[in-house]
Amino acid sequence: MTSQFTAGLTVDLATSVPTDLYINGQWVPAADGGTFSVINPANNQALTSVASACEQDVLSAIAAAHDAGHSWASFSPRARAEILRKAFELMIEYKDVIARLISLEEGKTHAEALGEVGYAAEFFRWYAEEACRDQGTFMRAPSGANNILVKNQPVGVCLLITPWNFPAAMGTRKIAPALAAGCTTILKPASETPLTALYLAQLLEQAGVPAGVVNVIPSKRSSMVSEVSLSDSRVRKISFTGSTEVGRLLLAKASERVVNCSMELGGNAPFIVLEDADMAVAVDSAMVAKMRNAGESCIGANRFYVHHSRAEEFSSGLAQAMKALVLGDGMKEGVDVGPLVNASTINKVEQLVDQAIELGAKVLTGGSRIAGPGFFYQPTVLVDIPKHADILREEIFGPVAPIVTFTSQDEVIEAANDTVFGLAAYVIGANVGNALAVAEKLEAGVLGVNRGFISDPAAPFGGVKQSGIGREGSQDGLHEFTEKKYIAIDW
Ligand code: NAD
């Protein structure tokens, strides 16, 4: 279905949002006619259905991206930059529609979705600026023997796979640097949230992105998409955001042809409240770090470590703030927290909380799901958690804050680092020098000191240990899509 898009405060799914595959600048149904339903997590009802790419569609998308590659790479950096700048402007112009789509298919509140659109659009603006910089270097060899010319050139065709939790931002964080670098792309969005990605494809077309440069292929058969793509010699790069479990499978597959990999994977962020913390800063930052997107964030605070002398104060402050939140359909006015995205996500949250309670944890607020049909889980604060509870080791991905106490900084640093993950961490302390000293010792790629909001397109975002390889955002994000070519010259 090809459709016109309309700006406005409501989203007419029947007329405003494409539901076909976007391949080589055309909207096409799946070659085998396959479709799948997109569910509204607020009521577990189907919103619409979208085309589900089959093997033939994946090959068509690879061919389109490959054929468009030389032409796109030969666009001047300025020409690519201006298209990206236009994409930024269109996202801002249509921010309400995009935000409503995000709320409908993902569940977050409209206010949060608007925040996501702003953040997502910034990647186009940032990489419109970066596209014209950092084209390479030239130097004379220190020995004087020759000249060293280094060019940054596009990697080539990129497979981009994104998760559902930030349907716009996780896409633009990859598409914008890839296009700035001169790469062509195939985006496979999460099956829970394909509508936002398809709508973005429509905006990119309007911004002037040529046919074949961005292809969007939702598919219910994710592993088929990666198998076919990573087996094809025309695909030179995979950039994946999602769970560590799936990241490992993709790394193994990519190793067969030594495909260039960027991996943004899972997290288990510690949030540390030091003895001298300003309690208002601690609670406010904890609310942001925990409750962004109802807790469904890779950098979401997963474990709270609070100095024992401040534990009572922090726990009651956090419980009070969590209790005051209004849970409901994210599309409705006055709602602070929307539903979780699907049944498996809420089931996992429920299991982790139930196990912690069975092991002796005490519930300060929340502690259970709300009866359906949507996937609503109460904002929850738990204390007295035994060390071996799964909730301290696994990514919760829900609105649950488990609080543990500590006595010494060495003890808390050891506990915080006792995980295979290393994405985000937070430290709250009035003595900034001391808080920074703690931050220095934490094994994480992204840290917040005295703040809970840490995402910024201008900053390098990514994990250490099993949280990933590579960085998105900043100048580093562009380099994920370039390869260096060194030429030794005499003249
Ligand atoms: P997921 O790994 O289940 O899925 C991510 C994407 O991979 C989706 O598009 C999915 O369809 C696809 N996929 C699933 N199995 C696949 C396979 N075998 N082969 C190829 N593709 C496959 O993750 P999710 O549930 O969508 O997202 C939540 C996870 O993503 C969490 O672990 C979260 O921490 C992580 N995440 C990380 C970042 C980051 O920047 N580090 C950002 C957001 C989310």
Side-chain angles (χ1 to χ4, degrees), residues 148-212:
I148 296 172
L149 176 66
V150 181
K151 285 186 68 180
N152 291 329
Q153 56 183 30
V155 176
V157 174
C158 305
L159 173 66
L160 314 177
I161 301 182
T162 50
W164 46 262
N165 58 348
F166 293 90
M170 296 301 98
T172 62
R173 200 164 79 167
K174 297 186 189 302
I175 295 170
L179 267 52
C183 296
T184 56
T185 61
I186 300 151
L187 172 65
K188 206 297 286 172
S191 309
E192 290 82 355
T193 56
L195 299 174
T196 306
L198 292 169
Y199 193 84
L200 285 179
Q202 203 168 232
L203 292 186
L204 287 168
E205 185 176 35
Q206 201 195 344
V209 173

Side-chain angles (χ1 to χ4, degrees), residues 162 164 173 188 222 226 240-243 264-266 298 395 461:
T162 50
W164 46 262
R173 200 164 79 167
K188 206 297 286 172
S222 314
S226 56
F240 171 75
T241 298
S243 60
E264 294 284 347
L265 308 177
C298 54
E395 206 176 14
F461 184 104

Side-chain angles (χ1 to χ4, degrees), residues 263-465:
M263 295 277 146
E264 294 284 347
L265 308 177
N268 179 10
F271 186 104
I272 299 172
V273 181
L274 298 173
E275 188 174 4
D276 66 344
D278 176 321
M279 206 35 72
V281 171
V283 173
D284 288 354
S285 306
M287 287 301 286
V288 174
K290 177 72 253 178
M291 293 307 291
R292 188 168 176 213
N293 201 27
E296 296 166 309
S297 163
C298 54
I299 53 173
N302 208 56
R303 308 165 276 157
F304 291 80
Y305 293 102
V306 186
H307 190 268
H308 69 92
S309 66
R310 311 296 301 279
E312 176 67 41
E313 205 184 339
F314 177 78
S315 307
S316 60
L318 188 65
Q320 205 181 342
M322 293 280 261
K323 204 173 182 171
L325 296 173
V326 177
L327 184 62
D329 182 341
M331 294 288 281
K332 295 205 171 125
E333 288 282 322
V335 167
D336 300 309
V337 188
L340 298 180
V341 75
N342 56 25
S344 62
T345 303
I346 197 168
N347 289 344
K348 182 177 178 193
V349 173
E350 187 171 49
Q351 277 163 19
L352 289 173
V353 173
D354 289 354
Q355 190 221 36
I357 294 170
E358 269 164 38
L359 293 175
K362 198 170 131 210
V363 180
L364 292 192
T365 187
S368 57
R369 72 162 82 196
I370 306 282
F375 307 114
F376 296 98
Y377 199 91
Q378 294 175 320
T380 296
V381 178
L382 302 175
V383 291
D384 300 340
I385 327 265
K387 275 192 179 145
H388 57 287
D390 290 343
I391 203 160
L392 298 178
R393 312 205 71 79
E394 291 188 23
E395 206 176 14
I396 305 170
F397 246 56
V400 179
I403 300 175
V404 176
T405 59
F406 69 90
T407 21
S408 77
Q409 283 188 187
D410 287 346
E411 173 201 345
V412 76
I413 290 164
E414 194 184 328
N417 289 338
D418 183 20
T419 167
V420 298
F421 297 106
L423 187 56
Y426 304 84
V427 184
I428 311 294
N431 177 340
V432 175
N434 183 50
L436 280 175
V438 174
E440 288 281 331
K441 291 183 182 149
L442 294 176
E443 296 169 347
V446 187
L447 281 118
V449 171
N450 288 326
R451 62 181 283 120
F453 189 84
I454 52 181
S455 302
D456 192 318
F461 184 104
V464 300
K465 293 157 75 178

Side-chain angles (χ1 to χ4, degrees), residues 85-104:
R85 172 75 201 193
K86 182 72 184 161
F88 161 72
E89 287 164 5
L90 285 169
M91 278 195 80
I92 298 302
E93 185 178 345
Y94 292 98
K95 65 178 189 294
D96 270 314
V97 183
I98 307 170
R100 272 160 205 269
L101 270 182
I102 294 172
S103 292
L104 275 174

